[in-house]
Amino acid sequence: MNTENKIVTAGIVDDDEIFTYGFKKLIAIRRLFDKILHFNNGKEAIDYLTDPQNSNHLPDVLFVDINMPVMNGWEFNAAFEEIKSQLGKNITIYTISSSVDLGDIKRAKNNPLIADYLLKPIDELYLAEIARKLQNPTDMERYN
């Protein structure tokens, strides 16, 4: 990773231990992001984002699964919409899922909060492109 680039923190919101292990391993091996946070469900992520103690450690990007216990990805998106103006930082949201249901894909693509819908397993090259854009904010389209 180029040391002149912005430090980028990514977060994954997913309860699938195998997927998150692989995701974190890929990020570490390819050095795509500087830091990674992990939340097992949307409520854990919302609790972290709204905790004032974490205000200086917010992620730049969140990869949010749809199907999770406690608070799923759709519920997370609704809660995030409520708090995003209070965060003091733009956080780009990507939906990640193994669902090829066109209804899920269309729902995500029609939500202005969501930058894109990524199918599992995540394409390594596309993930690298996301990381590159986040490190060079002028290249990144703002969705928030």
Side-chain angles (χ1 to χ4, degrees):
M1 179 174 292
N2 185 340
T3 57
E4 296 177 15
N5 290 336
K6 173 186 168 193
I7 293 175
V8 176
T9 300
I12 183 162
V13 186
D14 195 334
D15 66 320
D16 183 336
E17 291 179 22
I18 294 171
F19 175 77
T20 55
Y21 175 81
F23 185 84
K24 290 191 281 188
K25 202 72 170 168
L26 172 65
I27 287 172
I29 291 169
R30 296 285 313 263
R31 298 181 179 181
L32 296 176
F33 302 106
D34 300 287
K35 297 177 186 172
I36 185 142
L37 304 171
H38 177 227
F39 309 99
N40 287 307
N41 60 65
K43 184 177 182 320
E44 281 185 16
I46 292 295
D47 289 347
Y48 179 89
L49 296 172
T50 56
D51 186 337
Q53 294 183 358
N54 298 324
S55 63
N56 292 327
H57 307 286
L58 297 177
D60 297 286
V61 59
L62 283 171
F63 297 92
V64 182
D65 189 23
I66 294 174
N67 296 313
M68 298 176 283
V70 184
M71 178 185 279
N72 68 32
W74 304 125
E75 293 165 333
F76 169 84
N77 292 336
F80 184 80
E81 175 73 37
E82 296 292 321
I83 66 165
K84 74 173 190 170
S85 65
Q86 303 161 26
L87 297 178
K89 182 177 190 178
N90 285 330
I91 300 173
T92 304
I93 306 292
Y94 287 88
T95 294
I96 55 172
S97 181
S98 56
S99 172
V100 293
D101 183 311
L102 292 178
D104 286 340
I105 295 169
K106 189 173 183 177
R107 184 176 178 183
K109 297 252 182 202
N110 288 333
N111 186 332
L113 279 177
I114 301 170
D116 204 353
Y117 185 94
L118 309 177
L119 280 172
K120 293 180 181 177
I122 293 180
D123 181 288
E124 185 177 331
L125 293 176
Y126 189 56
L127 193 59
E129 179 65 15
I130 291 169
R132 186 193 65 75
K133 287 181 178 179
L134 288 165
Q135 290 165 347
N136 301 290
T138 55
D139 295 345
M140 186 71 190
E141 294 179 45
R142 291 292 171 200
Y143 296 91
N144 301 332

